[in-house]
Amino acid sequence: MKPEHGLESLDVDRPADARALRILADATSYLAGSATSEDVLAGVIGALARGLGRRDCSVWIRTPDGSAYMPIVPPGAPAPSPEVTQDIPRRVAGGIASDRSNEAWRLSIPLAHEGERLGLLEASVPDGDDAAILRDVVRLIANILSPLLASIALSEDLASEVALRTLEIDAQRRFTAKIIDSLPVGLYVIDRRYRIQAWNRTRETGTKGIGRDEVIGRAVFDVMHRQPKALLKREFDRVFDTGQLEVIEVESVGDDGQPRNYRISKVPMRLDDADVSHVITIGEDITEWKAVQQQIAQAERLAAVGQLAAGVMHEINNPLATIAACVEALSLRTIEPHMFDEYLRIIDSELARCKNIVDGLLDFSKPKARLKRPVQLHQIVEDALFLIKHHDKFKGITLVRELEQELPAIEANAEQLIQVFLALMLNAIDAMEGDGVLTVRGRRSDERSDEVVVELEDTGSGIAREDLPKIFEPFFTSKQPGRGTGLGLSICYGIVQQHGGRILVDSQVGRGSLFQVLLPVVATGTESR
């Protein structure tokens, strides 16, 4: 866009040049202000109109959606007609137009920047001696407005992008908040100052719920009163320090006065992938789940009793036969008087034997409270062996005992652990099909001084390598249909975990299996509780 006259050689002493300089100074003064883009354009076009002495000046810019052009005219000037507005896209797409009519030059100059058409400048220049230099001024102002429109368009694009991203972020935040509020668990988040930063809907509406407006920003110890502050702080500090998930089960009393069971999980959270910055606490009511688990465990317990029943009948038949013989001898009165006491002693001894067998089964079959106390591991294993020896298939099994007597006590529910060892022994007997060697060992752990281990090794058929990762899954079983529910090992796994222990297994097809149950010992100073 080359000026008709060199503007760089303007002379303020010439009236036409002075007029041109005044128009440029007046127009560019608006560019240094802090007004909005539309006000700047209105100021520039107003300055141009005043300098030219014509009101029919305008600048056209694209609408925000880019579908049309809107005019900016000098203050007090009429808006362009609809016919003119409809013709603007054609003029923007065309080149510079300069037409003379009614003693004036009509200029139409597309405003482009880096090849992109952004708008249009239209102005009327009075014909006369200074018309040429004034047309150059209009062209120069067009050159000034082109990058300005480009920056306005870029700002609008950025603003639109920011607004769009903000809407997307807000929508994602609302969606995430809805997910958290829809979870059927209580959830809250604390920062390193132990102040609550999030509190979901279940926390608000659950047992003794508190509104989130009442807790956000407060110290967690001021809100959570059921647990001692020192204990709660230790739990949070453990997660902050180790970065490991903490899961505990607790009992509480509901609003109806009935006991409720909860699983509390404390999850480490890192905002910058470095140190743990927050802890997410999730509380889940598992009362019904625990009840179902106990029912399943009881069903498995009764199933084991059923498997032992036939063996018990045979076991009891022997002392009953002895008792019958003694009674028959007494009834015939053919014995010496001094033998009465001997026969009565035998009868009493055999009856006690029957009672012990039946009591052992009944004791095992009854539901027990899940209380834990310090117990001796070797005695629990012996109790399990006392029950298993009545199984009809056990008669052909060779039992090898390697139980250390001087082991530290463990804190456990004896009946639950008897169920674990009995289930593992029954599986071993099934794997050996009544003919093999079952080795039972009880000793200190080789790897950890705070653990004891019970090993159950059989010479049975073994477990396929691909099945090993699945044997503790509920309902998984490799037995023939009708010979097992697949719940026994799953329940064993759950019981051992509840005792803070582990179950390890190693097996080879055709050579047998080795199950290791590792349990923590009672901490020093607590065995007498």
Side-chain angles (χ1 to χ4, degrees):
M1 194 182 297
K2 186 178 179 181
E4 297 177 6
H5 298 274
L7 291 177
E8 69 278 0
S9 60
L10 290 175
D11 187 348
V12 294
D13 293 331
R14 291 200 299 267
D17 292 355
R19 182 182 182 186
L21 286 172
R22 284 196 301 273
I23 294 174
L24 288 173
D26 193 9
T28 54
S29 67
Y30 289 96
L31 300 175
S34 58
T36 63
S37 57
E38 288 192 17
D39 290 340
V40 170
L41 292 172
V44 171
I45 202 66
L48 182 60
R50 289 192 300 272
L52 296 175
R54 305 279 298 193
R55 298 180 64 195
D56 54 347
C57 297
S58 59
V59 61
W60 296 80
I61 62 175
R62 287 187 303 199
T63 56
D65 61 5
S67 62
Y69 291 89
M70 61 181 185
I72 297 176
V73 298
S81 65
E83 292 79 10
V84 173
T85 302
Q86 292 175 2
D87 194 44
I88 292 301
R90 182 188 64 79
R91 299 184 194 180
V92 172
I96 298 174
S98 178
D99 301 317
R100 186 177 182 279
S101 63
N102 298 326
E103 298 182 351
W105 291 88
R106 184 67 180 171
L107 298 179
S108 181
I109 306 173
L111 304 177
H113 184 73
E114 295 183 352
E116 184 179 4
R117 300 293 176 98
L118 303 170
L120 185 72
L121 175 63
E122 292 196 314
S124 291
V125 178
D127 197 7
D129 294 339
D130 54 357
I133 193 170
L134 292 178
R135 288 199 298 273
D136 281 347
V137 169
V138 173
R139 292 188 179 94
L140 182 58
I141 290 177
N143 285 339
I144 294 173
L145 290 180
S146 292
L148 176 62
L149 289 186
S151 66
I152 292 172
L154 179 60
S155 297
E156 289 177 347
D157 289 345
L158 288 175
S160 298
E161 183 69 18
V162 169
L164 179 61
R165 294 299 179 197
T166 300
L167 288 174
E168 290 177 351
I169 291 171
D170 286 344
Q172 187 64 36
R173 185 181 292 115
R174 288 194 300 272
F175 181 69
T176 303
K178 281 290 185 184
I179 292 175
I180 294 173
D181 279 342
S182 300
L183 293 173
V185 295
L187 181 148
Y188 67 92
V189 181
I190 66 160
D191 60 18
R192 278 197 167 267
R193 297 183 301 162
Y194 310 103
R195 298 197 176 276
I196 297 171
Q197 301 298 322
W199 189 266
N200 80 337
R201 185 70 61 191
T202 303
R203 270 282 169 192
E204 288 188 303
T205 59
T207 303
K208 300 182 181 178
I210 308 174
R212 69 184 68 184
D213 293 339
E214 301 177 49
V215 299
I216 296 297
R218 292 176 60 189
V220 66
F221 312 116
D222 296 337
V223 178
M224 310 298 290
H225 302 295
R226 297 186 184 181
Q227 214 169 350
K229 177 180 177 180
L231 178 59
L232 191 58
K233 184 177 183 299
R234 280 200 303 272
E235 291 176 359
F236 285 125
D237 288 344
R238 221 168 21 241
V239 180
F240 279 125
D241 295 341
T242 66
Q244 295 180 349
L245 172 70
E246 292 276 339
V247 180
I248 60 172
E249 291 185 9
V250 298
E251 279 194 13
S252 184
V253 179
D255 291 337
D256 56 359
Q258 297 299 314
R260 309 291 296 178
N261 296 97
Y262 296 92
R263 179 184 292 119
I264 309 298
S265 304
K266 287 184 169 57
V267 185
M269 171 181 165
R270 295 174 172 84
L271 281 182
D272 54 4
D273 296 328
D275 294 333
V276 177
S277 58
H278 295 75
V279 173
I280 305 169
T281 301
I282 301 170
E284 182 182 3
D285 189 334
I286 58 171
T287 306
E288 284 74 20
W289 178 83
K290 290 279 286 187
V292 171
Q293 285 292 100
Q294 290 176 10
Q295 291 172 7
I296 293 174
Q298 180 63 13
E300 284 291 309
R301 189 192 301 266
L302 293 176
V305 171
Q307 291 186 53
L308 298 174
V312 167
M313 293 303 101
H314 290 299
E315 190 77 17
I316 291 178
N317 277 339
N318 293 329
L320 287 179
T322 303
I323 292 171
C326 291
V327 170
E328 183 179 0
L330 289 172
S331 65
L332 293 176
R333 301 177 183 273
T334 58
I335 59 173
E336 298 295 329
H338 68 274
M339 293 296 294
F340 273 88
D341 289 340
E342 178 66 18
Y343 277 116
L344 289 176
R345 185 188 62 77
I346 293 173
I347 291 172
D348 186 60
S349 172
E350 294 301 277
L351 285 174
R353 180 180 167 193
C354 292
K355 185 176 184 299
N356 286 337
I357 294 170
V358 174
D359 283 351
L361 283 178
L362 290 177
D363 224 25
F364 176 69
S365 66
K366 291 176 184 176
K368 300 293 191 305
R370 297 298 186 253
L371 299 177
K372 296 177 183 176
R373 59 184 179 83
V375 295
Q376 295 299 321
L377 185 61
H378 71 87
Q379 186 57 53
I380 291 176
V381 176
E382 289 290 358
D383 289 344
L385 287 170
F386 173 78
L387 292 172
I388 198 70
K389 74 177 183 180
H390 302 305
H391 195 289
D392 55 348
K393 290 185 179 179
F394 189 77
K395 307 304 180 183
I397 300 296
T398 300
L399 176 64
V400 178
R401 277 189 180 88
E402 298 177 6
L403 297 173
E404 295 182 15
Q405 302 296 309
E406 300 300 326
L407 290 176
I410 60 172
E411 187 159 338
N413 179 283
E415 287 76 17
Q416 284 187 311
L417 287 188
I418 289 173
Q419 181 172 359
V420 170
F421 296 131
L422 185 59
L424 294 177
M425 292 175 187
L426 286 171
N427 280 350
I429 292 173
D430 283 344
M432 293 185 288
E433 297 183 350
D435 182 17
V437 178
L438 174 62
T439 303
V440 181
R441 305 183 187 94
R443 56 180 174 79
R444 289 179 179 268
S445 171
D446 296 330
E447 299 176 358
R448 293 177 52 171
S449 60
D450 61 344
E451 282 185 336
V452 290
V453 58
V454 173
E455 293 182 345
L456 302 168
E457 186 173 9
D458 65 65
T459 57
S461 56
I463 304 168
R465 185 65 56 183
E466 62 270 18
D467 288 340
L468 279 177
K470 299 180 287 187
I471 61 173
F472 295 113
E473 295 177 5
F475 302 108
F476 175 81
T477 179
S478 59
K479 298 177 182 178
Q480 295 296 320
R483 295 190 60 188
T485 62
L487 289 171
L489 288 181
S490 173
I491 292 169
C492 291
Y493 184 85
I495 292 174
V496 173
Q497 272 206 325
Q498 290 170 17
H499 283 74
R502 300 171 289 149
I503 297 185
L504 306 179
V505 58
D506 185 28
S507 184
Q508 294 185 28
V509 174
R511 300 188 62 180
S513 303
L514 170 64
F515 282 82
Q516 293 180 307
V517 179
L518 297 103
L519 296 163
V521 301
V522 174
T524 304
T526 63
E527 293 190 27
S528 60
R529 285 189 307 173

